[in-house]
Coordinates of all heavy atoms in Angstrom, one line a residue:
M1 N 82.3 99.2 116.3 CA 83.0 98.0 116.3 C 83.3 97.5 117.8 O 83.1 96.4 118.1 CB 84.2 98.1 115.5 CG 85.1 96.9 115.5 SD 84.7 96.0 114.1 CE 85.8 94.6 114.2
R2 N 83.8 98.5 118.5 CA 84.2 98.1 119.9 C 82.9 97.7 120.7 O 83.0 96.7 121.5 CB 84.8 99.3 120.6 CG 85.2 99.1 122.0 CD 86.3 98.1 122.2 NE 86.8 98.0 123.5 CZ 87.1 96.9 124.1 NH1 87.1 95.8 123.5 NH2 87.5 96.9 125.4
L3 N 81.8 98.3 120.5 CA 80.6 97.9 121.2 C 80.1 96.5 120.8 O 79.7 95.7 121.6 CB 79.5 99.0 121.0 CG 79.8 100.4 121.6 CD1 78.7 101.3 121.3 CD2 80.0 100.3 123.1
A4 N 80.3 96.2 119.5 CA 79.9 94.9 119.0 C 80.7 93.8 119.7 O 80.2 92.8 120.0 CB 80.0 94.8 117.5
T5 N 82.0 94.1 119.9 CA 82.9 93.1 120.5 C 82.4 92.9 122.0 O 82.5 91.7 122.4 CB 84.4 93.5 120.5 OG1 84.6 94.6 121.4 CG2 84.9 93.8 119.1
L6 N 82.0 93.9 122.6 CA 81.6 93.8 124.0 C 80.3 93.1 124.2 O 80.1 92.4 125.2 CB 81.6 95.2 124.7 CG 82.9 95.9 124.8 CD1 82.7 97.3 125.3 CD2 83.9 95.1 125.7
V7 N 79.4 93.2 123.2 CA 78.1 92.5 123.3 C 78.4 91.0 123.0 O 77.8 90.2 123.7 CB 77.1 93.1 122.3 CG1 75.9 92.2 122.1 CG2 76.7 94.5 122.7
D8 N 79.2 90.8 122.0 CA 79.4 89.4 121.6 C 80.2 88.6 122.5 O 80.0 87.4 122.7 CB 80.1 89.4 120.2 CG 80.3 88.0 119.7 OD1 79.4 87.2 119.5 OD2 81.5 87.6 119.5
A9 N 81.3 89.2 123.1 CA 82.2 88.5 123.9 C 82.5 89.2 125.2 O 83.7 89.5 125.5 CB 83.5 88.2 123.1
A10 N 81.5 89.5 126.0 CA 81.6 90.3 127.2 C 82.7 89.8 128.1 O 83.4 90.5 128.8 CB 80.3 90.4 127.9
D11 N 82.8 88.5 128.3 CA 83.8 87.9 129.2 C 85.2 88.0 128.7 O 86.2 87.7 129.5 CB 83.5 86.4 129.5 CG 82.1 86.3 130.2 OD1 81.7 87.2 130.9 OD2 81.5 85.2 130.1
A12 N 85.4 88.3 127.5 CA 86.8 88.4 126.9 C 87.5 89.7 127.1 O 88.7 89.8 126.9 CB 86.7 88.1 125.4
F13 N 86.8 90.7 127.6 CA 87.4 92.0 127.7 C 87.2 92.6 129.2 O 86.2 92.3 129.8 CB 86.7 93.0 126.7 CG 86.9 92.6 125.3 CD1 85.8 91.9 124.7 CD2 88.1 92.8 124.6 CE1 86.0 91.5 123.4 CE2 88.2 92.4 123.3 CZ 87.2 91.7 122.7
E14 N 88.1 93.4 129.6 CA 88.1 94.0 130.9 C 87.0 95.1 130.9 O 86.2 95.2 131.9 CB 89.4 94.6 131.2 CG 89.5 95.3 132.6 CD 90.8 95.8 132.9 OE1 91.8 95.3 132.4 OE2 90.9 96.8 133.7
T15 N 86.8 95.8 129.8 CA 85.8 96.9 129.7 C 84.4 96.2 129.6 O 84.3 95.2 128.9 CB 86.1 97.7 128.5 OG1 87.4 98.3 128.6 CG2 85.1 98.8 128.3
T16 N 83.5 96.8 130.2 CA 82.1 96.3 130.1 C 81.4 97.2 129.0 O 81.8 98.3 128.7 CB 81.3 96.4 131.4 OG1 81.2 97.8 131.7 CG2 82.0 95.7 132.5
Y17 N 80.3 96.6 128.5 CA 79.5 97.3 127.5 C 79.0 98.6 128.1 O 79.0 99.6 127.5 CB 78.4 96.4 127.0 CG 77.4 97.0 126.0 CD1 77.8 97.2 124.7 CD2 76.2 97.5 126.5 CE1 76.9 97.8 123.8 CE2 75.3 98.0 125.6 CZ 75.7 98.2 124.2 OH 74.8 98.8 123.4
E18 N 78.5 98.5 129.3 CA 77.9 99.6 130.0 C 78.9 100.8 130.2 O 78.6 101.9 130.0 CB 77.3 99.2 131.4 CG 76.1 98.3 131.3 CD 76.4 96.9 130.9 OE1 77.6 96.4 131.0 OE2 75.5 96.2 130.4
S19 N 80.2 100.4 130.6 CA 81.2 101.5 130.8 C 81.6 102.1 129.4 O 81.9 103.3 129.3 CB 82.4 101.0 131.5 OG 83.1 100.0 130.8
A20 N 81.6 101.3 128.4 CA 81.9 101.8 127.0 C 80.9 102.8 126.6 O 81.2 103.8 125.9 CB 82.1 100.6 126.1
L21 N 79.6 102.5 126.9 CA 78.5 103.4 126.5 C 78.7 104.8 127.2 O 78.2 105.8 126.6 CB 77.2 102.8 126.8 CG 76.6 101.7 125.9 CD1 75.3 101.2 126.5 CD2 76.5 102.2 124.5
E22 N 79.3 104.8 128.3 CA 79.5 106.1 129.1 C 80.6 106.9 128.5 O 80.7 108.1 128.9 CB 79.7 105.7 130.6 CG 78.5 105.1 131.2 CD 78.8 104.7 132.7 OE1 79.9 105.0 133.2 OE2 77.9 104.1 133.3
R23 N 81.4 106.4 127.7 CA 82.6 107.2 127.1 C 82.0 108.2 126.2 O 81.1 108.0 125.4 CB 83.5 106.3 126.4 CG 84.3 105.4 127.4 CD 85.3 104.6 126.6 NE 86.4 105.4 126.0 CZ 87.3 104.9 125.3 NH1 87.5 103.6 125.1 NH2 88.2 105.7 124.8
T24 N 82.7 109.4 126.2 CA 82.3 110.5 125.3 C 82.9 110.3 123.9 O 83.9 109.5 123.8 CB 82.8 111.8 125.9 OG1 84.2 111.8 125.9 CG2 82.3 112.1 127.3
L25 N 82.4 111.0 123.0 CA 82.9 110.9 121.6 C 84.4 111.4 121.7 O 85.3 110.9 121.0 CB 82.1 111.8 120.7 CG 82.6 111.9 119.2 CD1 82.7 110.5 118.6 CD2 81.7 112.8 118.4
E26 N 84.7 112.4 122.5 CA 86.0 112.9 122.6 C 87.0 111.8 123.1 O 88.1 111.7 122.6 CB 86.0 114.1 123.6 CG 87.4 114.7 123.8 CD 87.4 115.8 124.8 OE1 86.4 116.3 125.2 OE2 88.5 116.2 125.2
S27 N 86.5 111.0 124.1 CA 87.3 109.9 124.6 C 87.7 108.9 123.5 O 88.8 108.4 123.4 CB 86.6 109.3 125.8 OG 87.3 108.1 126.2
W28 N 86.6 108.5 122.7 CA 86.8 107.6 121.6 C 87.8 108.1 120.6 O 88.6 107.4 120.1 CB 85.5 107.2 121.0 CG 84.6 106.3 121.8 CD1 83.5 106.6 122.4 CD2 84.8 104.9 122.1 NE1 82.9 105.6 123.1 CE2 83.8 104.5 122.9 CE3 85.8 104.0 121.8 CZ2 83.7 103.2 123.4 CZ3 85.7 102.7 122.3 CH2 84.7 102.3 123.1
T29 N 87.6 109.4 120.2 CA 88.4 110.0 119.2 C 89.9 110.1 119.7 O 90.8 109.8 118.9 CB 87.9 111.4 118.9 OG1 86.5 111.3 118.5 CG2 88.7 112.1 117.9
K30 N 90.1 110.5 120.9 CA 91.4 110.5 121.5 C 92.1 109.1 121.4 O 93.3 109.0 121.0 CB 91.4 111.0 122.9 CG 92.8 111.1 123.5 CD 92.7 111.7 124.9 CE 94.1 111.8 125.6 NZ 94.0 112.3 127.0
Q31 N 91.4 108.1 121.8 CA 92.0 106.8 121.7 C 92.3 106.4 120.3 O 93.4 105.8 120.0 CB 91.0 105.7 122.3 CG 91.6 104.3 122.3 CD 90.7 103.3 123.0 OE1 89.8 103.7 123.8 NE2 90.9 102.1 122.7
A32 N 91.4 106.7 119.4 CA 91.6 106.3 118.0 C 92.8 107.1 117.4 O 93.7 106.5 116.7 CB 90.4 106.6 117.1
N33 N 93.0 108.3 117.8 CA 94.1 109.1 117.3 C 95.4 108.7 117.9 O 96.5 108.6 117.2 CB 93.9 110.6 117.6 CG 92.8 111.3 116.8 OD1 92.5 110.8 115.7 ND2 92.3 112.3 117.3
I34 N 95.5 108.3 119.1 CA 96.7 107.7 119.7 C 97.1 106.4 119.0 O 98.2 106.2 118.7 CB 96.5 107.5 121.2 CG1 96.4 108.8 122.0 CG2 97.6 106.6 121.8 CD1 96.0 108.7 123.4
T35 N 96.1 105.6 118.8 CA 96.4 104.3 118.1 C 96.9 104.6 116.7 O 97.8 103.9 116.2 CB 95.1 103.4 118.1 OG1 94.7 103.2 119.4 CG2 95.4 102.1 117.3
A36 N 96.3 105.5 116.0 CA 96.6 105.8 114.6 C 98.0 106.5 114.5 O 98.6 106.5 113.5 CB 95.6 106.7 113.9
S37 N 98.4 107.2 115.6 CA 99.7 107.9 115.5 C 100.9 107.0 115.5 O 102.0 107.5 115.3 CB 99.8 108.9 116.7 OG 100.0 108.2 117.9
G38 N 100.7 105.7 115.8 CA 101.8 104.8 115.8 C 102.7 104.9 117.1 O 103.8 104.5 117.0
S39 N 102.2 105.4 118.2 CA 103.0 105.5 119.4 C 103.2 104.1 119.9 O 104.0 103.4 119.4 CB 102.3 106.4 120.4 OG 101.0 105.9 120.7
H40 N 102.6 103.7 121.0 CA 102.8 102.4 121.6 C 101.6 101.4 121.4 O 101.6 100.4 122.0 CB 103.1 102.5 123.1 CG 104.4 103.3 123.3 ND1 105.6 102.8 123.0 CD2 104.6 104.5 123.8 CE1 106.5 103.7 123.3 NE2 105.9 104.7 123.8
R41 N 100.7 101.8 120.6 CA 99.5 101.0 120.3 C 99.3 100.9 118.9 O 99.6 101.7 118.1 CB 98.2 101.6 121.0 CG 98.4 101.9 122.5 CD 97.2 102.5 123.0 NE 96.1 101.5 123.2 CZ 95.0 101.7 123.8 NH1 94.7 102.9 124.3 NH2 94.1 100.8 124.0
N42 N 98.7 99.7 118.5 CA 98.3 99.5 117.1 C 97.1 98.6 117.1 O 97.0 97.7 117.8 CB 99.5 98.8 116.3 CG 99.3 98.8 114.9 OD1 98.3 99.4 114.3 ND2 100.1 98.1 114.1
T43 N 96.2 99.0 116.2 CA 95.0 98.2 116.0 C 94.8 97.9 114.5 O 94.9 98.9 113.7 CB 93.7 98.9 116.5 OG1 93.9 99.2 117.9 CG2 92.5 98.1 116.4
M44 N 94.5 96.7 114.2 CA 94.2 96.3 112.8 C 92.8 95.9 112.7 O 92.3 95.2 113.6 CB 95.1 95.1 112.4 CG 96.6 95.4 112.4 SD 97.1 96.7 111.3 CE 97.0 96.0 109.7
L45 N 92.1 96.3 111.7 CA 90.7 96.0 111.4 C 90.6 95.1 110.2 O 91.3 95.3 109.2 CB 89.8 97.2 111.3 CG 89.8 98.2 112.4 CD1 89.0 99.4 112.1 CD2 89.2 97.5 113.7
G46 N 89.7 94.2 110.2 CA 89.4 93.3 109.1 C 88.0 93.7 108.5 O 87.1 93.9 109.3
F47 N 87.9 93.8 107.2 CA 86.7 94.2 106.6 C 86.2 93.2 105.6 O 87.0 92.5 105.0 CB 86.9 95.6 105.8 CG 87.1 96.7 106.7 CD1 88.4 97.0 107.2 CD2 86.1 97.5 107.2 CE1 88.7 98.1 108.0 CE2 86.3 98.6 108.0 CZ 87.6 98.9 108.4
H48 N 84.9 93.1 105.5 CA 84.2 92.4 104.4 C 83.2 93.3 103.8 O 82.3 93.8 104.4 CB 83.5 91.1 104.9 CG 82.8 90.4 103.8 ND1 83.5 89.6 102.9 CD2 81.5 90.3 103.5 CE1 82.6 89.1 102.1 NE2 81.4 89.5 102.4
Q49 N 83.4 93.6 102.5 CA 82.5 94.6 101.8 C 82.3 95.9 102.5 O 81.2 96.3 102.8 CB 81.2 93.9 101.4 CG 81.3 92.7 100.5 CD 80.0 92.1 100.2 OE1 78.9 92.3 100.8 NE2 80.0 91.1 99.3
N50 N 83.4 96.4 103.0 CA 83.5 97.7 103.7 C 82.8 97.7 105.1 O 82.5 98.8 105.6 CB 82.9 98.9 102.9 CG 83.7 99.1 101.6 OD1 85.0 99.1 101.7 ND2 83.1 99.4 100.5
V51 N 82.6 96.5 105.6 CA 82.0 96.4 107.0 C 83.0 95.8 107.9 O 83.6 94.7 107.5 CB 80.7 95.5 106.9 CG1 80.2 95.3 108.3 CG2 79.6 96.1 106.0
P52 N 83.3 96.4 109.0 CA 84.4 95.8 109.9 C 83.8 94.5 110.5 O 82.7 94.5 111.1 CB 84.6 96.9 110.9 CG 83.4 97.7 110.9 CD 82.8 97.7 109.5
V53 N 84.6 93.4 110.4 CA 84.2 92.1 110.9 C 85.3 91.5 111.8 O 85.1 90.4 112.3 CB 83.9 91.2 109.8 CG1 82.7 91.6 109.0 CG2 85.1 91.0 108.8
G54 N 86.4 92.3 112.1 CA 87.4 91.7 113.0 C 88.4 92.8 113.4 O 88.5 93.8 112.7
L55 N 89.0 92.5 114.5 CA 90.1 93.5 115.0 C 91.1 92.7 115.8 O 90.8 91.7 116.4 CB 89.5 94.6 115.8 CG 88.9 94.4 117.2 CD1 90.0 94.4 118.3 CD2 87.9 95.4 117.5
A56 N 92.3 93.3 115.8 CA 93.3 92.8 116.7 C 94.1 94.0 117.1 O 94.3 94.9 116.3 CB 94.2 91.8 116.0
A57 N 94.6 94.0 118.4 CA 95.3 95.2 118.9 C 96.5 94.8 119.7 O 96.4 93.7 120.4 CB 94.4 96.1 119.7
L58 N 97.5 95.6 119.7 CA 98.7 95.3 120.6 C 99.1 96.6 121.3 O 98.8 97.7 120.9 CB 99.8 94.7 119.8 CG 100.6 95.5 118.8 CD1 101.5 96.6 119.3 CD2 101.4 94.6 117.9
Y59 N 99.8 96.4 122.3 CA 100.4 97.5 123.1 C 101.9 97.2 123.2 O 102.3 96.1 123.7 CB 99.8 97.6 124.5 CG 100.5 98.6 125.4 CD1 100.2 99.9 125.3 CD2 101.4 98.2 126.4 CE1 100.8 100.9 126.1 CE2 102.0 99.2 127.2 CZ 101.7 100.5 127.0 OH 102.3 101.4 127.8
Q60 N 102.7 98.1 122.7 CA 104.2 97.9 122.8 C 104.7 98.5 124.1 O 104.3 99.6 124.5 CB 104.9 98.6 121.6 CG 106.3 98.4 121.6 CD 107.0 99.1 120.4 OE1 106.4 99.8 119.6 NE2 108.3 98.8 120.2
D61 N 105.6 97.7 124.7 CA 106.2 98.2 126.0 C 107.0 99.4 125.7 O 107.9 99.5 124.8 CB 107.1 97.1 126.5 CG 107.7 97.4 127.8 OD1 108.2 98.5 128.1 OD2 107.7 96.5 128.7
P62 N 106.7 100.6 126.4 CA 107.4 101.8 126.1 C 108.9 101.8 126.4 O 109.6 102.6 125.9 CB 106.6 102.8 126.9 CG 105.9 102.1 128.0 CD 105.7 100.7 127.4
N63 N 109.3 100.9 127.2 CA 110.7 100.8 127.6 C 111.5 99.7 126.8 O 112.7 99.7 126.9 CB 110.8 100.5 129.1 CG 110.1 101.5 129.9 OD1 110.3 102.7 129.7 ND2 109.3 101.1 130.9
R64 N 110.8 98.9 126.1 CA 111.4 97.8 125.3 C 110.8 97.7 124.0 O 109.7 97.1 123.9 CB 111.3 96.5 126.1 CG 111.9 96.4 127.5 CD 113.3 95.7 127.6 NE 113.5 94.6 126.7 CZ 113.6 93.4 127.0 NH1 113.3 93.0 128.2 NH2 113.9 92.5 126.1
A65 N 111.4 98.1 123.0 CA 110.9 98.1 121.6 C 110.7 96.7 121.1 O 109.9 96.4 120.2 CB 111.8 98.9 120.6
D66 N 111.4 95.7 121.7 CA 111.3 94.3 121.3 C 110.2 93.5 122.0 O 110.0 92.3 121.8 CB 112.6 93.6 121.5 CG 113.1 93.6 123.0 OD1 112.7 94.5 123.7 OD2 113.7 92.6 123.3
I67 N 109.4 94.2 122.8 CA 108.3 93.5 123.5 C 107.0 94.2 123.2 O 106.8 95.4 123.3 CB 108.5 93.6 125.1 CG1 109.8 92.8 125.4 CG2 107.3 93.0 125.8 CD1 110.1 92.8 126.9
A68 N 106.0 93.4 122.8 CA 104.6 93.9 122.5 C 103.7 92.9 123.1 O 103.9 91.7 123.1 CB 104.4 94.1 121.0
H69 N 102.5 93.4 123.5 CA 101.5 92.5 124.1 C 100.3 92.5 123.3 O 99.7 93.6 123.0 CB 101.1 93.0 125.5 CG 102.3 93.1 126.4 ND1 102.9 92.1 127.1 CD2 103.1 94.2 126.7 CE1 103.9 92.5 127.8 NE2 104.1 93.8 127.6
L70 N 99.8 91.4 122.8 CA 98.6 91.3 122.1 C 97.5 91.5 123.1 O 97.3 90.7 124.1 CB 98.5 89.9 121.4 CG 97.3 89.6 120.6 CD1 97.3 90.6 119.4 CD2 97.3 88.2 120.1
I71 N 96.7 92.5 123.0 CA 95.7 92.9 124.0 C 94.3 92.5 123.7 O 93.4 92.4 124.5 CB 95.8 94.3 124.5 CG1 95.6 95.3 123.3 CG2 97.1 94.6 125.2 CD1 95.5 96.7 123.7
Q72 N 94.0 92.4 122.4 CA 92.6 92.0 122.0 C 92.6 91.4 120.6 O 93.3 91.9 119.7 CB 91.6 93.1 122.2 CG 91.9 94.3 121.4 CD 90.8 95.4 121.7 OE1 89.6 95.1 121.8 NE2 91.3 96.6 122.0
V73 N 91.7 90.4 120.4 CA 91.4 89.9 119.1 C 90.0 89.5 119.1 O 89.5 88.9 120.1 CB 92.3 88.6 118.8 CG1 91.9 88.0 117.5 CG2 93.7 88.8 118.9
W74 N 89.3 89.9 118.1 CA 87.9 89.6 118.0 C 87.5 89.5 116.5 O 88.0 90.3 115.7 CB 87.0 90.7 118.6 CG 85.5 90.4 118.5 CD1 84.7 89.6 119.2 CD2 84.6 90.9 117.5 NE1 83.4 89.6 118.8 CE2 83.4 90.4 117.7 CE3 84.8 91.8 116.4 CZ2 82.3 90.7 116.9 CZ3 83.7 92.1 115.5 CH2 82.5 91.5 115.8
V75 N 86.7 88.5 116.2 CA 86.2 88.3 114.8 C 84.8 87.9 114.9 O 84.3 87.2 115.8 CB 87.0 87.1 114.2 CG1 86.4 86.8 112.8 CG2 88.5 87.4 114.1
H76 N 84.0 88.6 114.0 CA 82.6 88.3 114.0 C 82.3 86.8 113.8 O 83.1 86.1 113.1 CB 82.0 89.1 112.8 CG 80.5 89.0 112.7 ND1 79.9 87.9 112.1 CD2 79.5 89.9 113.1 CE1 78.6 88.2 112.2 NE2 78.3 89.3 112.7
L77 N 81.3 86.4 114.4 CA 80.9 84.9 114.4 C 81.0 84.3 113.0 O 81.5 83.2 112.8 CB 79.5 84.7 115.0 CG 79.0 83.3 115.1 CD1 79.9 82.5 116.0 CD2 77.6 83.3 115.6
N78 N 80.5 85.0 112.0 CA 80.5 84.5 110.6 C 81.9 84.3 110.0 O 82.0 83.7 109.0 CB 79.7 85.4 109.7 CG 78.2 85.4 110.1 OD1 77.7 84.6 110.8 ND2 77.5 86.4 109.5
Y79 N 82.9 84.9 110.6 CA 84.2 84.8 110.1 C 85.2 84.1 111.0 O 86.4 84.0 110.7 CB 84.8 86.2 109.8 CG 83.9 86.9 108.8 CD1 82.8 87.7 109.2 CD2 84.1 86.7 107.4 CE1 81.9 88.3 108.3 CE2 83.2 87.3 106.5 CZ 82.2 88.1 106.9 OH 81.3 88.6 106.0
R80 N 84.7 83.5 112.0 CA 85.6 82.7 112.9 C 85.9 81.4 112.2 O 85.1 80.8 111.5 CB 84.9 82.4 114.2 CG 84.7 83.7 115.0 CD 84.0 83.5 116.3 NE 83.7 84.9 116.9 CZ 82.9 85.1 117.8 NH1 82.1 84.2 118.3 NH2 82.7 86.4 118.2
G81 N 87.1 80.9 112.4 CA 87.6 79.7 111.7 C 88.2 80.0 110.4 O 88.6 79.1 109.7
T82 N 88.2 81.2 110.0 CA 88.8 81.6 108.7 C 90.2 82.1 109.0 O 90.7 82.0 110.1 CB 88.0 82.8 108.0 OG1 88.2 84.0 108.8 CG2 86.5 82.4 107.9
E83 N 90.9 82.6 108.0 CA 92.2 83.1 108.2 C 92.2 84.6 108.7 O 93.3 85.2 108.8 CB 93.0 83.0 106.9 CG 93.4 81.6 106.6 CD 94.3 81.0 107.6 OE1 95.3 81.6 108.0 OE2 93.9 79.9 108.1
L84 N 91.1 85.2 109.0 CA 91.0 86.6 109.4 C 91.8 86.9 110.7 O 92.7 87.8 110.6 CB 89.6 87.0 109.6 CG 89.4 88.5 109.9 CD1 90.1 89.4 108.9 CD2 88.0 88.9 110.1
A85 N 91.6 86.2 111.7 CA 92.3 86.5 113.0 C 93.8 86.3 112.8 O 94.6 87.2 113.2 CB 91.8 85.6 114.2
P86 N 94.3 85.2 112.3 CA 95.8 85.0 112.1 C 96.4 86.1 111.2 O 97.5 86.6 111.4 CB 95.9 83.6 111.5 CG 94.7 82.9 111.8 CD 93.6 83.9 111.9
T87 N 95.6 86.5 110.2 CA 96.1 87.6 109.3 C 96.2 88.9 110.0 O 97.2 89.6 109.9 CB 95.2 87.7 108.1 OG1 95.1 86.5 107.4 CG2 95.6 88.8 107.2
L88 N 95.2 89.3 110.8 CA 95.3 90.5 111.6 C 96.4 90.5 112.6 O 97.2 91.5 112.7 CB 93.9 90.7 112.4 CG 92.7 91.0 111.5 CD1 91.5 91.0 112.4 CD2 92.8 92.3 110.8
I89 N 96.6 89.4 113.3 CA 97.7 89.3 114.2 C 99.1 89.4 113.5 O 100.0 90.1 113.9 CB 97.6 88.0 115.0 CG1 96.4 88.0 115.9 CG2 98.9 87.8 115.9 CD1 96.0 86.7 116.5
S90 N 99.2 88.7 112.4 CA 100.4 88.8 111.6 C 100.7 90.2 111.2 O 101.9 90.7 111.2 CB 100.3 87.9 110.4 OG 101.4 88.0 109.6
Q91 N 99.7 90.9 110.7 CA 99.9 92.3 110.3 C 100.3 93.2 111.5 O 101.1 94.1 111.3 CB 98.6 92.8 109.7 CG 98.3 92.2 108.3 CD 99.4 92.5 107.3 OE1 99.8 93.7 107.1 NE2 99.8 91.5 106.6
L92 N 99.8 92.9 112.7 CA 100.2 93.7 113.8 C 101.7 93.6 114.1 O 102.4 94.6 114.4 CB 99.5 93.3 115.1 CG 98.1 93.7 115.3 CD1 97.5 93.0 116.5 CD2 98.0 95.2 115.4
F93 N 102.3 92.4 113.9 CA 103.7 92.2 114.2 C 104.6 92.3 113.1 O 105.8 92.0 113.2 CB 103.8 90.8 114.9 CG 103.2 90.8 116.3 CD1 102.0 90.3 116.5 CD2 104.0 91.3 117.4 CE1 101.4 90.3 117.8 CE2 103.4 91.3 118.6 CZ 102.2 90.8 118.9
S94 N 104.1 92.7 111.9 CA 105.0 92.9 110.7 C 105.5 94.3 110.6 O 105.1 95.2 111.2 CB 104.3 92.4 109.5 OG 103.2 93.2 109.2

């Protein structure tokens, strides 16, 4: 999913597709586990027929529980203009 976002919207992200390809499976797994643990990051995925078609992620300020930064939103071209992005964002902040 992350690689698809970088191919589709390269200018929207700090990470490049090339640098993402260089990451190890261990690195990806560690990031996924940190996000899933509910620490200071959260990522929501949107699916259509079990295929991921959107994501939204936030980073919570470790010093202020009342501050969170929306750090990425991406929706597959076929689902742009739908309620997917607003729903993902809403779920992040609920």
Side-chain angles (χ1 to χ4, degrees):
M1 175 95 181
R2 178 68 172 142
L3 295 175
T5 68
L6 295 172
V7 169
D8 178 61
D11 294 337
F13 301 100
E14 183 177 333
T15 303
T16 65
Y17 177 77
E18 291 75 18
S19 67
L21 284 177
E22 293 175 4
R23 290 183 63 181
T24 64
L25 178 59
E26 180 181 348
S27 171
W28 286 110
T29 302
K30 182 178 178 181
Q31 181 177 342
N33 288 338
I34 289 170
T35 299
S37 74
S39 59
H40 297 293
R41 301 177 81 168
N42 189 7
T43 301
M44 300 298 288
L45 299 175
F47 291 86
H48 178 75
Q49 297 180 349
N50 295 321
V51 175
V53 295
L55 69 87
L58 67 75
Y59 175 78
Q60 183 177 7
D61 188 312
N63 301 313
R64 300 255 332 250
D66 61 329
I67 296 178
H69 306 277
L70 185 62
I71 58 172
Q72 59 182 314
V73 177
W74 177 83
V75 175
H76 186 280
L77 181 63
N78 293 346
Y79 299 90
R80 293 177 190 162
T82 69
E83 289 299 310
L84 181 56
T87 299
L88 292 171
I89 293 167
S90 175
Q91 290 297 311
L92 280 175
F93 288 98
S94 63

